[in-house]
Amino acid sequence: MTPALRAMLDQLGPIPACIQNSRYDILAYNATYGRLLCDLDALAPEDRNCLWLAFTDADWRASMVDVAEVNRTIVAKFRAAMAEHLAEPAWKALLARLEARSPEFRELWARHEVLGVGAKTKYVRNAHVGLLHLEHTNLWLGPAAGPRLVTMVPVDEESRARLEQLARLERLARPARLDHRERPEPPEPEPLRSPQAPELRTPAAV
């Protein structure tokens, strides 16, 4: 995640925004997005995936007004995206994890529905500020199969005012919270050190 992208996410506030890859991993997000559907800061980085949260996280599911339709749509989009990544271990691991955890996901996956990624308006019931009417938009940062900027733009003034309220609440809470809004880079391995030869000591003269 470059400093420019990080700054862009922050400048978009109070509009919720994040960077996602085609596997629906949430790579980075601004403060408002971090509290829009659930508390992303409280989750392990490997669990910050829209598909995983849609089928396993109670707060995320409660925020979706029409969770059944939203989940049907995201599974169909995931199937379409996976067509180009069938042999990749990370994609197969996510699919196996979802099938092992969620009967609902297994049932939707068995339908073999396919949808492309596109803009759509949706209703979100935020736990802190109430009902929001938002337009979900995507802006690709490179090839269409790569990372994209996802924004949730308010459709009406009431939703805009509530997002501003959510941003104020987040600013008040931020000093007491660690900033986990990016997936951490894996630590670099420590360089190997050559074993030191044992020090030879000469017996003292008697």
Side-chain angles (χ1 to χ4, degrees), residues 21-24 77-93 95 143-147:
N21 60 19
S22 56
R23 199 171 54 243
Y24 290 94
K77 290 179 179 179
F78 178 62
R79 178 177 285 280
M82 192 171 180
E84 299 180 9
H85 305 274
L86 293 174
E88 295 181 24
W91 287 74
K92 292 193 291 186
L95 177 58

Side-chain angles (χ1 to χ4, degrees), residues 123-162:
Y123 286 94
V124 169
R125 186 180 294 106
N126 182 264
H128 306 282
V129 298
L131 189 65
L132 301 165
H133 190 194
L134 308 172
E135 183 173 359
H136 179 130
T137 63
N138 300 279
L139 175 64
W140 273 264
L141 306 177
R148 63 184 181 271
L149 171 68
V150 176
T151 58
M152 301 285 199
V153 180
V155 172
D156 52 52
E157 286 303 316
E158 185 175 12
S159 295
R160 181 176 296 276
R162 290 180 176 182

Side-chain angles (χ1 to χ4, degrees), residues 15-65:
I15 292 175
C18 71
I19 306 294
Q20 291 180 19
N21 60 19
S22 56
R23 199 171 54 243
Y24 290 94
D25 294 324
I26 302 170
L27 306 177
Y29 51 94
N30 63 11
T32 321
Y33 189 91
R35 300 295 286 275
L36 180 66
L37 302 166
C38 67
D39 186 355
L40 286 176
D41 289 354
L43 301 177
E46 61 269 20
D47 289 339
R48 294 176 198 158
N49 175 280
C50 296
L51 266 165
W52 178 252
L53 295 171
F55 290 95
T56 66
D57 187 90
D59 292 338
W60 185 286
R61 292 172 63 83
S63 71
M64 293 296 178
V65 173

Side-chain angles (χ1 to χ4, degrees), residues 200-205:
L200 298 178
R201 297 178 180 273
T202 304

